[in-house]
Amino acid sequence: MARIPTSGATTVTPYRTEAELRKVLKELSPEAEFSASEVKNLYWRLGAIVGRWSAEQSRLKTLSIARRLTAISKNVAAATDTLSAHQTGIQDVRDIEVVSQLKIVLAADPEVGSFEKADELIGLQKDPAKLAEACLIAARNLKKQEGKGGRPPAQWHDDFTALLLDIAKKGDVQPTSWKDSVSDKRRGWLFDAARSLEPFLNPKMVVGGEEATGSRLDRSKERLKQR
């Protein structure tokens, strides 16, 4: 089932300190000299990766929003609570997304022409026919969005792998990663670097142990190659 793409940028403080990151970097690349600004940049890149993961988890299913829009189109007058979702106070996140999609359609209408006028039209509900039509258009647009069902893709891990590769380049080391055919264990600098930096991420991001880490690296390396 398609999901609404994430928007904006979120940065979360990593789960370990900047001082701990400096120590890990020294262990991974003994010959490299990381400046204070470089360490800080890598630290907040890790924070941005956690933020991106968090955003991926909260993406809403488009069909759910489309159904709400269709229902509103059938009875705009009875939808006051949903259509007030951009006003102050605690609101259901799904209602907020419904109004966001509705505003996009209305603002594109030459007779409305702006988000400010769309807000006014929604708030006053003074043109039920136009609102109903806009709801149907927004619902159709969502249903046409491309996307695969199930869990969101781990795009955050591509960013994580790219960060590891940047560290390898700085330290002038080969970012190797392979699976030992005898012991069946994961080996290589890239794998060790991933395991060393995973504690800086949300624990829910790195479940599954060493094999899961290796598999995530393999998939991310392949996606990065294709870009």
Side-chain angles (χ1 to χ4, degrees):
M1 184 182 299
R3 290 175 183 264
I4 296 171
T6 56
S7 59
T10 303
T11 298
V12 178
T13 302
Y15 280 58
R16 295 289 187 273
T17 67
E18 191 173 326
E20 289 175 291
L21 175 61
R22 180 181 290 279
K23 181 180 179 181
V24 170
L25 292 173
K26 188 64 178 176
E27 293 171 350
L28 292 173
S29 304
E31 304 302 319
E33 289 293 336
F34 288 90
S35 68
S37 62
E38 287 175 321
V39 174
K40 186 174 292 292
N41 176 262
L42 290 170
Y43 187 72
W44 288 112
R45 279 178 66 182
L46 285 167
I49 289 166
V50 179
R52 181 169 191 172
W53 170 83
S54 179
E56 288 176 1
Q57 305 314 299
S58 63
R59 284 187 294 174
L60 300 167
K61 293 181 179 179
T62 58
L63 184 57
S64 173
I65 302 303
R67 284 172 177 165
R68 286 192 174 217
L69 286 161
T70 301
I72 292 171
S73 73
K74 294 178 180 177
N75 194 350
V76 173
T80 303
D81 290 341
T82 292
L83 292 179
S84 65
H86 277 204
Q87 298 174 8
T88 58
I90 298 174
Q91 304 290 349
D92 188 314
V93 66
R94 292 169 297 180
D95 289 344
I96 292 173
E97 188 58 42
V98 164
V99 177
S100 293
Q101 297 298 321
L102 183 55
K103 283 174 63 177
I104 290 171
V105 172
L106 287 170
D109 185 334
E111 294 182 4
V112 181
S114 70
F115 285 108
E116 290 76 13
K117 290 185 178 179
D119 262 333
E120 181 182 353
L121 185 62
I122 293 170
L124 297 177
Q125 299 177 41
K126 59 184 179 182
D127 192 341
K130 184 175 288 293
L131 286 175
E133 181 185 11
C135 284
L136 287 176
I137 293 172
R140 286 198 296 267
N141 289 344
L142 288 173
K143 290 177 180 179
K144 289 190 294 185
Q145 280 190 18
E146 294 183 359
K148 295 182 178 180
R151 300 173 61 186
Q155 295 173 327
W156 67 265
H157 200 273
D158 295 354
D159 294 341
F160 181 62
T161 302
L163 181 145
L164 299 177
L165 295 174
D166 286 346
I167 294 173
K169 184 177 181 180
K170 170 71 176 180
D172 196 25
V173 297
Q174 283 295 111
T176 56
S177 178
W178 74 92
K179 192 170 186 177
D180 192 299
S181 59
V182 177
S183 65
D184 207 34
K185 289 186 175 296
R186 295 280 181 168
R187 307 289 187 193
W189 184 93
L190 187 64
F191 172 75
D192 291 339
R195 295 296 286 176
S196 295
L197 289 178
E198 283 179 346
F200 290 81
L201 308 178
N202 186 310
K204 293 180 181 179
M205 299 168 68
V206 291
V207 296
E210 294 186 354
E211 180 56 32
T213 295
S215 296
R216 285 191 290 265
L217 283 173
D218 290 343
R219 291 192 293 269
S220 284
K221 285 192 298 181
E222 187 60 33
R223 286 193 294 265
L224 290 172
K225 286 179 183 178
Q226 293 173 359
R227 289 182 183 176

